[in-house]
Amino acid sequence: MDVIVRIQQTVDFIRSRFNAQPTIGVVLGSGLGGFIDYIDIEHEIPYEEVPHFPISTVEGHKGKLIFGKLGGKQLVVMAGRFHFYEGYSPADIVFPIRVMKKLGVENLFLSNAAGGVNTTFKVGDLMIIHDHISMSIVNPLIGKNIAELGPRFPDMSEPYSKKMISLGRKVADKLGFVVRQGVYYGVTGPTFETRAEYKMISIMGADAVGMSTVQEVIIAVHCGMTVFAVSVITDIGIREEENVITHDEVLEAANLAAPKLTSMFKEMIVSL
Ligand code: HPA
């Protein structure tokens, strides 16, 4: 079935449940679900009930779409996202972003947990993403372009809005924490990187590496959204000691840094 038809069917289904008119979309990364505490929740739909959303292959993976208000604005929040390493196609991973656009979302906020390769970074730092490197992921726009969704060859000179980056920096300043800024290198996962890979990623000009976000940003830019994205640095890939990186360590660090990230998103949304 045509993706345009599938998007419309999904939007129609959502609107049959709840008259959603969001202008702001938020994607919450691993360990960052606390953001939803700030929202006046009006409606929730588990992913498994949403037509054409990917069927979860992962045990305990309970994502949902949340609709509600924050600072007088209507939001749609993805609590949980789809990753390429779980076995979904790139088209499936980005489908919810296209649905958000069709629902009326203009500003997209994305978050993720990422490994630091900039040696000045510390675990728990927030990094505003001002650019990315997409060469190690599968581009979700490969295939026939649907002109109704966006151009064949999208410009990528400013995927992350400069205005939003400057607002994010101001808000962090006001909230009293240091925020880093840098380049995010997208990988497929699910392996963490080898020492040689972390080193390569750093030499290639990135500051952090992670397994999400880039495909979603490509689609958001393709369909003309304003994008703001932040990584929580959960581990440092380039390091002297002989320590391994575990998923538990990543989740723990994300949980610890989550209040900074969620309060930053909240303040930004309120002041939009
Ligand atoms: N590499 C890739 N993805 C990640 C990492 C990492 O070191 N930490 C959290 N997500």
Side-chain angles (χ1 to χ4, degrees):
M1 197 194 294
D2 194 325
V3 68
I4 299 277
V5 176
R6 281 187 284 133
I7 293 167
Q8 191 59 52
Q9 286 180 348
T10 304
V11 167
D12 290 346
F13 166 83
I14 290 169
R15 294 237 164 97
S16 75
R17 287 286 192 92
F18 175 71
N19 183 29
Q21 310 284 344
T23 55
I24 293 169
V26 182
V27 179
L28 298 176
S30 315
L32 302 168
F35 175 76
I36 59 177
D37 294 342
Y38 294 121
I39 306 171
D40 289 328
I41 297 177
E42 295 173 319
H43 196 73
E44 294 186 0
I45 313 178
Y47 290 160
E48 60 262 30
E49 293 176 22
V50 182
H52 309 306
F53 264 42
I55 309 290
S56 174
T57 53
V58 185
E59 229 176 289
H61 176 109
K62 284 254 182 292
K64 56 187 173 184
L65 277 179
I66 298 170
F67 297 91
K69 281 204 193 89
L70 173 60
K73 278 124 196 148
Q74 294 279 347
L75 261 62
V76 52
V77 179
M78 285 183 74
R81 61 146 65 86
F82 302 101
H83 301 88
F84 190 60
Y85 64 75
E86 293 173 272
Y88 304 117
S89 70
D92 280 345
I93 291 161
V94 300
F95 184 75
I97 306 297
R98 289 178 156 157
V99 169
M100 284 188 180
K101 171 71 183 181
K102 189 76 186 167
L103 283 169
V105 168
E106 289 157 11
N107 292 297
L108 184 66
F109 289 73
L110 299 143
S111 57
N112 61 52
V117 295
N118 180 324
T119 50
T120 69
F121 286 6
K122 303 245 166 351
V123 169
D125 279 352
L126 295 190
M127 182 190 90
I128 294 177
I129 302 176
H130 71 238
D131 209 346
H132 70 226
I133 299 175
S134 69
M135 264 98 85
S136 300
I137 57 123
V138 180
N139 195 305
L141 291 174
I142 291 173
K144 185 174 180 299
N145 187 58
I146 298 162
E148 207 178 319
L149 296 178
R152 169 74 293 186
F153 300 108
D155 174 67
M156 278 285 156
S157 57
E158 195 194 322
Y160 303 88
S161 156
K162 281 199 181 117
K163 256 178 148 165
M164 294 284 262
I165 291 171
S166 122
L167 175 62
R169 299 189 69 89
K170 258 189 233 145
V171 162
D173 210 35
K174 183 177 144 203
L175 292 170
F177 58 77
V178 175
V179 67
R180 314 285 195 157
Q181 192 171 313
V183 175
Y184 179 91
Y185 189 102
V187 291
T188 66
T191 42
F192 290 116
E193 290 62 46
T194 65
R195 285 167 186 276
E197 287 162 349
Y198 281 122
K199 187 171 169 197
M200 175 201 79
I201 288 165
S202 147
I203 291 169
M204 285 178 85
D207 300 284
V209 51
M211 305 175 195
S212 67
T213 306
V214 174
Q215 291 172 320
E216 296 154 341
V217 170
I218 288 172
I219 291 302
V221 171
H222 182 242
C223 68
M225 286 170 164
T226 298
V227 176
F228 180 73
V230 176
S231 292
V232 175
I233 303 300
T234 56
D235 52 87
I236 302 295
I238 294 195
R239 58 211 186 281
E240 300 299 322
E241 324 89 71
E242 293 285 325
N243 67 316
V244 296
I245 295 167
T246 66
H247 184 55
D248 286 347
E249 171 190 345
V250 166
L251 278 184
E252 194 187 319
N255 279 323
L256 281 176
K260 279 195 293 188
L261 182 132
T262 55
S263 56
M264 181 181 184
F265 275 15
K266 176 192 156 218
E267 288 294 321
M268 287 179 72
I269 290 168
V270 167
S271 69
L272 272 182

